[in-house]
Amino acid sequence: SAVISQKPSRDICQRGTSLTIQCQVDSQVTMMFWYRQQPGQSLTLIATANQGSEATYESGFVIDKFPISRPNLTFSTLTVSNMSPEDSSIYLCSVEGTGVGTDTQYFGPGTRLTVL
Amino acid sequence: GIQVEQSPPDLILQEGANSTLRCNFSDSVNNLQWFHQNPWGQLINLFYIPSGTKQNGRLSATTVATERYSLLYISSSQTTDSGVYFCAFRVGGYNKLIFGAGTRLAVHP
């Protein structure tokens, strides 16, 4: 299994500002994933972050809007830039479980963002 | 792309009742998993079940990959079972996890 923490747990931000979300894992992992969950909706993958390389973004998400850092094997940040009310969502960090035969995905507690 | 359908979309139960949640998918999938998102937003992995049947306490899950569906059984439901249940899977060689729309469950005392 993996234990994941995120900061902040929630925030209320003004339109046009940026927020950086931190994700810390208790073990070294190759890939970290960032998901967005808009109100009442399912989860959508934003990007996959590998240590030492540029993040890979899914269709509809761009680096200028959601820059990601991955400085080491246990930590990543996601920045939501130039925010608008449409960015109000829960942002979740995720990793795959470690160990032989484990493909289970684990999620952090999420960051609940409200943009006014 | 692959289609996934979860049913029912909403479910209301009295405490102690049993229920079956279903996840249908339109093509071969990998790494099928079931998650529970509690009312505070925390997503908990319930089962990793690409095929076969698993049980964990009051919960069990069955995946019939050849027929492209998976079932999640909840027995003797409790109010703490309330929340949203998602099935999710990978397709092909991609690491991207695709989520269903979810089943929203409310268990009343």
Side-chain angles (χ1 to χ4, degrees), chain A residues 8-85:
Chain A
S9 58
R10 60 177 60 233
D11 207 342
I12 300 173
C13 300
Q14 295 296 320
R15 181 195 300 259
T17 63
S18 297
L19 176 71
T20 295
I21 302 168
Q22 299 179 7
C23 176
Q24 180 76 51
V25 188
D26 69 340
S27 58
Q28 294 184 341
V29 293
T30 304
M31 287 184 287
M32 296 177 76
F33 306 88
W34 287 99
Y35 285 82
R36 181 177 74 179
Q37 186 178 26
Q38 295 178 300
Q41 302 296 311
S42 186
L43 281 77
T44 301
L45 181 65
I46 297 172
T48 303
N50 292 324
Q51 193 264 340
S53 64
E54 291 283 337
T56 302
Y57 289 82
E58 295 298 309
S59 176
F61 298 96
V62 295
I63 188 171
D64 290 345
K65 176 67 175 177
F66 297 101
I68 288 172
S69 79
R70 182 78 200 274
N72 58 53
L73 291 174
T74 64
F75 186 80
S76 178
T77 67
L78 170 76
T79 299
V80 186
S81 304
N82 188 24
M83 289 184 284
S84 67

Side-chain angles (χ1 to χ4, degrees), chain B residues 24-105:
Chain B
N24 290 334
F25 34 93
S26 60
D27 205 342
S28 298
V29 301
N30 304 316
N31 307 99
L32 192 132
Q33 303 175 47
W34 282 94
F35 294 88
H36 174 223
Q37 187 170 39
N38 66 26
W40 297 269
Q42 176 71 61
L43 208 62
I44 303 297
N45 191 296
L46 298 174
F47 293 102
Y48 169 76
I49 186 158
S51 63
T53 298
K54 289 185 178 179
Q55 180 154 7
N56 185 3
R58 295 181 297 103
L59 303 181
S60 64
T62 296
T63 296
V64 184
T66 54
E67 297 187 20
R68 298 176 184 169
Y69 73 88
S70 183
L71 302 174
L72 177 69
Y73 305 96
I74 303 174
S75 65
S76 304
S77 59
Q78 301 176 358
T79 55
T80 52
D81 295 331
S82 297
V84 184
Y85 290 81
F86 293 103
C87 66
F89 48 79
R90 294 193 180 91
V91 178
Y94 296 99
N95 290 304
K96 172 181 178 179
L97 207 58
I98 299 172
F99 281 79
T103 292
R104 190 172 300 274
L105 173 64

